[in-house]
Amino acid sequence: MKFEDIQSPKLSNHGNWIAYGVWPDRGDGKVIVQHTSDKTQYEIPLGTNPIISNNEKWAFAFKKVSLKKSLEAKKNKPKRGLSILNLNNGGIQEFSDVSSYKVSNDGNWVAIKNYQSKEIADLKHKNKKLGSRVTLWNLKNQDSLSLNFVSEMSFDSSSNYFAYSVIDTSGKENGLYISDLKSLDLNEEGYYSNLTWSTKAPQLAFTKAIFDSSYVDSDASLFIWNASNNELKRLVIPEDVADGWALRSNNNLKFEQSNTSKSPRLFFGLMSKTMVDLDINKDDNSENEIDIYDVDEIIKDREMDVWHSDDPRIKTHEIVTFNGRKNRTYASVYHLDDDEWVQLADLEMPFTQVSDGEDYVLGSSDEPYLREIMYDGFYRDWYLVDVKTGKRTKFVKRISNGAPRLAPNGNSVVYYNNKDWYSYNVSNEQTNNLTKGMNVPF
């Protein structure tokens, strides 16, 4: 139980420092941070999951609760904290009750988010998305700013802006804010999420929804804000989305651009309206009073699952995977230069690989093989998807040996199947066996 393992090793950007956890199977451990060319070494007690700032001046590690304290606490167990190590002198600053933190790319700022306070938790507010306290800390001069009810937060890649969204108990301060700017004139009632900075331009993308009286969020709109000219633009509204689909706060935004034309694109997701309605109906019924003598209420969970041999999934697998399928988003892309967007994935082809390609992304589907997956293996059909039109071309069927790779210029795809390597030529739609006839196993 006392044998120690090395965990989560991290090398600094310039290679001058390495940090790693040292933890026994049972007991308390630490993080060790050491210089790679001299004997300088520091320890962070109870540290775990270390990172080193890009300027190599600071090391950060979550501070776990000691095993003894954790075992002694019957109720209200203590929560993890955060330790910040000064690599110049070995000094450590500690913060308690830390749920997450973010460090700016220049290494001069850290935003520390606390767990929800007991005072707010005891209110048992209907809005389950309430934010918590964040401390924005200037590591150079040790100045700090306390921000309340922060839901999401993000530094831009150039470390010039800090964006955060607020969801408070009254709703009066709800909005999206930028540090050193009072607001973006968006501080009306709303739910701002998915704060995503572009790494190529000073732009922030996000979604905005509104709460109803029961704090169930509506369909969302997609926005982009340009820091260069303080321009705010609404890209997609709920009415733009096709029937059967919804743009929601449950999303994953990602900026990409083509390698040659440098045309910027913003990928986002849509949800199946059927799955969205399941969530909304669940929330609508969550506050209903329960009649303890209602027979239907008593027996509603007493049920039997019946599986038919034609069903694509056995019931146990269907239950285990339900939440993942319910919350699944289907990729779409907004072409920022053209002010046009197109849906790329759907129920027939639910998966995509987003990348800085030229005109295509890869898509895949396991839908035709769900019954086979139960007893044989994992299979997928793979597609080439045009990001301008959404048109898809199936280039290989029923492969199980890993994901194909699209060339950076988008001219070809390479994949492995049935013990051979293949290339697919995008322009002439021809497939070539690269290893045919080679007397070597692959």
Side-chain angles (χ1 to χ4, degrees):
M1 290 188 292
K2 293 185 178 181
F3 285 107
E4 295 179 325
D5 291 328
I6 292 178
Q7 302 176 355
S8 308
K10 298 290 188 337
L11 184 65
S12 64
N13 274 7
H14 302 292
N16 293 316
W17 293 90
I18 186 170
Y20 53 91
V22 179
W23 280 81
D25 181 56
R26 180 177 174 82
D28 298 333
K30 59 193 173 186
V31 158
I32 293 178
V33 185
Q34 63 186 69
H35 203 276
T36 56
S37 60
D38 62 36
K39 295 182 179 181
T40 303
Q41 179 173 301
Y42 303 118
E43 293 185 3
I44 303 177
L46 299 174
T48 185
N49 298 110
I51 68 169
I52 300 171
S53 62
N54 289 341
N55 61 3
E56 297 191 332
K57 292 183 178 180
W58 310 92
F60 304 82
F62 281 116
K63 182 181 180 181
K64 296 180 69 173
V65 178
S66 69
L67 180 60
K68 182 179 179 181
K69 286 185 177 180
S70 180
L71 295 174
E72 288 174 347
K74 302 299 182 182
K75 294 183 179 180
N76 299 321
K77 291 192 174 184
K79 296 180 173 65
R80 70 183 180 186
L82 177 68
S83 296
I84 303 178
L85 170 68
N86 187 325
L87 294 177
N88 291 325
N89 56 31
I92 295 178
Q93 294 173 287
E94 294 184 343
F95 302 84
S96 59
D97 297 332
V98 176
S99 63
S100 63
Y101 70 98
K102 290 183 181 294
V103 182
S104 63
N105 280 346
D106 64 3
N108 292 329
W109 291 87
V110 60
I112 303 169
K113 194 172 193 289
N114 294 111
Y115 289 103
Q116 191 60 271
S117 67
K118 185 177 184 302
E119 178 185 10
I120 300 301
D122 287 346
L123 293 176
K124 296 184 179 179
H125 199 276
K126 291 182 179 180
N127 191 347
K128 305 306 180 185
K129 296 181 174 69
L130 288 179
S132 60
R133 185 167 65 91
V134 164
T135 302
L136 184 60
W137 201 279
N138 188 325
L139 295 169
K140 292 178 68 176
N141 58 25
Q142 298 296 296
D143 287 342
S144 65
L145 174 66
S146 183
L147 307 167
N148 294 319
F149 294 105
V150 173
S151 174
E152 292 191 24
M153 57 188 185
S154 179
F155 289 101
D156 76 310
S157 60
S158 59
S159 304
N160 290 324
Y161 300 96
F162 176 68
Y164 62 98
S165 60
V166 169
I167 302 177
D168 74 352
T169 52
S170 69
K172 294 179 180 179
E173 300 299 325
N174 288 6
L176 175 62
Y177 299 86
I178 307 295
S179 62
D180 297 328
L181 300 175
K182 292 182 179 179
S183 76
L184 290 174
D185 295 327
L186 290 173
N187 56 335
E188 72 270 11
E189 173 74 14
Y191 173 35
Y192 297 86
S193 56
N194 303 293
L195 311 185
T196 305
W197 288 98
S198 169
T199 60
K200 309 288 175 59
Q203 295 176 315
L204 175 71
F206 58 92
T207 58
K208 178 199 171 186
I210 58 174
F211 292 121
D212 63 15
S213 59
S214 300
Y215 297 102
V216 176
D217 53 306
S218 66
D219 287 352
S221 296
L222 178 65
F223 288 84
I224 189 169
W225 175 70
N226 192 321
S228 298
N229 54 17
N230 199 30
E231 179 188 12
L232 177 68
K233 186 176 183 179
R234 191 193 308 259
L235 303 180
V236 183
I237 60 175
E239 290 74 21
D240 293 337
V241 179
D243 290 342
W245 297 93
L247 175 59
R248 302 289 293 179
S249 297
N250 170 41
N251 223 299
N252 183 25
L253 309 186
K254 187 175 183 180
F255 283 97
E256 298 288 355
Q257 67 180 27
S258 64
N259 289 316
T260 55
S261 66
K262 305 301 181 184
S263 176
R265 305 185 287 234
L266 176 61
F267 287 86
F268 62 99
L270 300 178
M271 290 185 66
S272 163
K273 195 70 169 66
T274 301
M275 294 302 187
V276 171
D277 290 341
L278 287 178
D279 253 354
I280 292 176
N281 293 334
K282 179 191 72 173
D283 289 334
D284 286 344
N285 295 327
S286 61
E287 298 297 322
N288 291 346
E289 292 187 5
I290 296 176
D291 181 356
I292 62 175
Y293 301 107
D294 187 328
V295 175
D296 291 336
E297 185 72 24
I298 294 171
I299 67 174
K300 73 175 184 178
D301 292 328
R302 276 69 171 178
E303 54 189 24
M304 179 175 62
D305 294 324
V306 178
W307 177 76
H308 190 278
S309 60
D310 288 336
D311 289 345
R313 295 181 176 90
I314 61 173
K315 292 304 176 184
T316 51
H317 184 254
E318 189 176 74
I319 293 170
V320 169
T321 61
F322 176 74
N323 280 335
R325 291 182 287 111
K326 177 172 68 71
N327 296 319
R328 178 180 293 164
T329 58
Y330 298 78
S332 301
V333 59
Y334 195 100
H335 298 275
L336 296 171
D337 285 348
D338 300 328
D339 283 332
E340 295 178 349
W341 70 277
V342 61
Q343 183 173 347
L344 303 177
D346 55 24
L347 298 177
E348 293 183 359
M349 190 204 73
F351 308 108
T352 55
Q353 290 182 352
V354 174
S355 64
D356 272 344
E358 284 306 303
D359 301 315
Y360 301 96
V361 295
L362 294 180
S364 64
S365 175
D366 58 2
E367 292 296 316
Y369 311 108
L370 292 179
R371 291 182 68 242
E372 289 182 69
I373 287 173
M374 289 189 295
Y375 58 83
D376 191 16
F378 294 93
Y379 302 102
R380 286 191 182 189
D381 295 340
W382 284 85
Y383 299 80
L384 202 63
V385 186
D386 190 315
V387 296
K388 286 283 190 180
T389 65
K391 179 184 177 182
R392 62 187 65 151
T393 302
K394 186 188 297 185
F395 63 87
V396 65
K397 297 193 301 183
R398 201 177 182 274
I399 69 170
S400 61
N401 301 106
R405 292 291 181 265
L406 179 65
N409 59 14
N411 292 335
S412 62
V413 182
V414 176
Y415 61 91
Y416 180 80
N417 190 30
N418 292 328
K419 300 181 179 181
D420 277 306
W421 283 95
Y422 295 83
S423 69
Y424 173 80
N425 189 299
V426 174
S427 59
N428 60 25
E429 300 184 359
Q430 297 297 310
T431 300
N432 181 32
N433 188 332
L434 301 175
T435 55
K436 183 178 180 180
M438 293 187 181
N439 193 25
V440 179
F442 289 94

